[in-house]
Amino acid sequence: MVLVEEETLSGTHTNCISVNDVTKSYGKNPALSGLSFSIPCGEKYSLIGPNGAGKSTTLKLLVGLLVPDRGSVSIDGIDPTTKRAKKLIGYLPEDASPYNTLSVRENLEYIGAIREVQNLRERVDQLIYEMGLSEYEKSKVSKLSRGNRQKLAVALSVIHEPDILLLDEPLNYLDIPTQEKTISIFDRLNATVLVSTHIMSIAERLTHGAIVISRGRTIWDGTMEQLKQLGDPTEAIEKIVMRLMTGAAPTH
Amino acid sequence: MQPRLIRLLIASRFSRPLIGVMIFVLVYSVLMGFFVPPEAVQMGEFWTYYIIGITAFFLILMTMIGGIAIMKSDLDYLFTLPLSRRELAVSFYITQFLATGISYVLLFGYVFIFIQGTSAEKLMLAGDMVLIGLLQTALSIVSFRLETRQKALLAGAMGVYALLPLAGFSYSFTSIFTGHILEGTIVIVILNVIFNYLALTQLSTIELGFTKITSIRSSAEYKTTEKFVGLSQRAAIVRRYLSEISFTGRFNLGGSVSVRVSRIRLRTLLIPVAAIAVVYGYFALIFNPADGSPGVAVVLSMMYLGIFIPMFFPEVFSHERAWLAFSSMTAKNYWTYIVYAKVIQTFAMMLPFIGVNIVLAIIGVSGAVNAIIYLGMVLPTSPLISLYFSGKYSPAQVIDMETLPAEFSLRQLATLVPVIFFTAAAIVSMFSIILALVCGAFFITIALAILMGNKRWNRIVYRLTEKGFV
Ligand SMILES: Nc1ncnc2c1ncn2[C@@H]1O[C@H](COP(=O)(O)OP(=O)(O)OP(=O)(O)O)[C@@H](O)[C@H]1O
Ligand SMILES: [Mg+2]
């Protein structure tokens, strides 16, 4: 981490996440059309936008599960499909489903082994304990409740202590104590963070910056403070975001 | 009876082109049964063994992988509608028949070519085949709630019972093929009454039991656990994939999409495989023609391995998780290690057959050397070719184990195209040892070509993701 910060200060490359003029369609169905933004190393941003805006697609491009039709994305200045980028990234998709054919502990051990995590046994014990999964460690994942499955997914996404976190609705299904626990686990990593969410209170808890997108384009970015200042002091942040989003819709 | 309900169920499960092909094959089979003379197909007395073997095989398969063609949307929407339970049960039974039992009825033509007897007997036999199809349907439904051990017991009992007529026993459902049509028919009717009664009872309470089924069927914890701590990337992937075996249930034109993955240690798997290999050896020895041409038992067995073995692999990937696998490792390495594990698994499964064939070759059974080449060179490439093919053309992901991913469609059958190549290779290999070697070299070359190239595997990952694979 220290190294990254030094690099940031000396300006070798300041952006850990960058998306440059990216266009991506699924068949004929456009998802992103000329999306650009970047996130400096160590910063935490929310990716906010209406349903179908392209948030999940953006994250999949950044993990290297998709490739842009046009434009480019980079993680710490490199292509996300490379080995080095993969070591840096921790990714949690929306409605994450761990391996159904493995138990809770086997899931963590398997991904830990593939990620070449040092002191894997201790790390797995710690995550199982922290996420409150001790009584389920031998359970088949297919028999877990939705919330417990999400806890396991969170643990899997941080098992290698990533420097860059890409999270898609990370707190879905979790009860309130687990939400707090999860937030503290994410915070402890001191990572560069990009969180896709609809829930403004979660955005405010996890991040200090926001990127608002709609129809596959960036329509606003800045700090949470700046976002609040767009409205009057009594106005709820949801209202402000709503105005931004509806303002972005084409006016026929 | 509600024709609209049945239409809805069929339309939500089978795509139109698939229904078209099913009808075509049925008509083709019936016409063939009436017009192809038995002399045109050289099977001799092996025919009886063949049809009885196939019947036993179908019943075992349906019992073992049985499941009910219920989709998530049925649970969420259909079962909440005020429909009579009986109508629902009957409608589900009909779709279930189209998904499972019909595969047996499609054999009709092949059976009719060889059957001799009066027209009354032939008519009775035709009816019996439909009834066996219904029995197959009932077994697939009944076995749904059974635990694996109970299923295996039921499947084993049906299999043994089906094979008994080969030992001269005439009170089995398959004795209709050994000249005891009346006795066989009586048994078929009795079995149908019992199992269809159970099946319909089960279907009429299905929505109540659904959540219970998942807990009855298997325990919440695994009995054996795998340890991955301290393993390298390759060792971890190989350990996992060696202990997991999947089978594509898209095995017939009924398109029963059943993507099953079981965890079974390789050692355990080798026991039944070795038993089958010994049975194979016995028949190869008995049906060894004097003229030096490969015997019908060798040819058919290799063909069936060519059909069967590649079907273990198209769905290997359906339980993968792209977000875990490909965010941890490069796509090429991950795929390569899976293929590595599956090639080892295939080789291990082929070893008993190779061993038996070596003995047969020493005895002088014709076709045994060709079989060794086929088993050792051609079939072990099938994991790679099948996996690549399904990844490229029809990737499916199973998120929820208990419900079907989607409707049955022709596109899903596309994953079975490699089966055609491997079956064809089995036949070609039987012509001469040189041809067998050429086949081996050809398949190995193709496999290596697929394995090379980083970009190819990344493209598959993009494609999977675009198809909604997470
Ligand atoms: N696998 C897919 N196949 C086809 N189209 C897709 C696929 N995934 C997303 N899309 C389309 O791409 C667009 C962007 O989808 P995306 O999932 O990125 O939106 P999102 O911002 O994450 O929405 P939500 O808030 O609902 O999660 C949508 O129009 C969607 O219909
Ligand atoms: Mg989304």
Side-chain angles (χ1 to χ4, degrees), chain A residues 55-56 94 168 196:
Chain A
K55 305 183 293 296
S56 300
E94 59 189 336
D168 206 339
S196 151

Side-chain angles (χ1 to χ4, degrees), chain A residues 5 15 27 42-43 69 73 76 80 114 123 141 146 151 189 201 207 211 216 222 247 249:
Chain A
E5 270 158 28
N15 291 329
E43 299 280 327
D69 296 338
V73 298
D76 202 22
I114 284 172
R123 182 74 180 138
V141 166
R146 196 64 195 79
K151 289 184 200 170
L189 290 171
S201 60
T207 60
I211 296 159

Side-chain angles (χ1 to χ4, degrees), chain A residues 26-27 29-32 49-58 60 94 168-169 196 198 213, chain B residues 465-469:
Chain A
Y26 294 96
N29 183 7
L32 301 178
N51 296 126
K55 305 183 293 296
S56 300
T57 305
T58 308
K60 284 175 190 161
E94 59 189 336
D168 206 339
E169 300 288 359
S196 151
H198 300 287
I213 69 170
Chain B
T465 311
E466 284 179 10
K467 290 278 161 199
F469 205 100

Side-chain angles (χ1 to χ4, degrees), chain B residues 245-437:
Chain B
I245 181 146
S246 58
F247 190 78
T248 308
R250 302 170 187 180
F251 47 83
N252 61 45
L253 285 165
S256 165
V257 181
S258 160
V259 181
R260 290 300 155 85
V261 171
S262 308
R263 281 172 48 155
I264 175 164
R265 291 248 160 92
L266 192 54
R267 298 198 285 282
T268 322
L269 187 66
L270 282 179
I271 299 167
V273 173
I276 297 169
V278 170
V279 173
Y280 154 76
Y282 172 75
F283 282 113
L285 210 54
I286 293 185
F287 296 99
N288 182 29
D291 64 3
S293 64
V296 67
V298 178
V299 177
L300 281 177
S301 303
M302 292 309 123
M303 267 177 68
Y304 268 96
L305 285 172
I307 293 172
F308 210 53
I309 297 296
M311 280 170 31
F312 281 101
F313 308 111
E315 306 315 330
V316 158
F317 210 67
S318 60
H319 287 266
E320 254 311 327
R321 296 292 179 255
W323 70 278
L324 288 168
F326 302 128
S327 70
S328 305
M329 275 174 71
T330 59
K332 185 190 170 182
N333 285 347
Y334 198 83
W335 284 104
T336 307
Y337 296 157
I338 293 181
V339 166
Y340 183 83
K342 288 294 159 187
V343 169
I344 295 177
Q345 201 178 44
T346 315
F347 233 147
M349 289 201 294
M350 290 305 103
L351 275 179
F353 285 97
I354 292 178
V356 167
N357 273 307
I358 290 177
V359 174
L360 291 175
I362 293 169
I363 299 174
V365 172
S366 31
V369 176
N370 311 46
I372 294 170
I373 298 170
Y374 179 69
L375 295 169
M377 288 175 77
V378 178
L379 275 186
T381 63
S382 62
L384 179 54
I385 292 172
S386 296
L387 246 172
Y388 177 69
F389 212 84
S390 69
K392 200 162 155 71
Y393 297 105
S394 180
Q397 188 175 32
V398 178
I399 298 281
D400 192 339
M401 291 262 240
E402 307 295 336
T403 45
L404 295 165
E407 63 168 12
F408 309 132
S409 72
L410 266 186
R411 192 172 179 87
Q412 294 164 343
L413 293 176
T415 58
L416 293 182
V417 169
V419 167
I420 300 169
F421 300 142
F422 285 101
T423 318
I427 298 168
V428 171
S429 299
M430 285 301 150
F431 283 107
S432 78
I433 290 175
I434 301 286
L435 274 178
L437 285 169

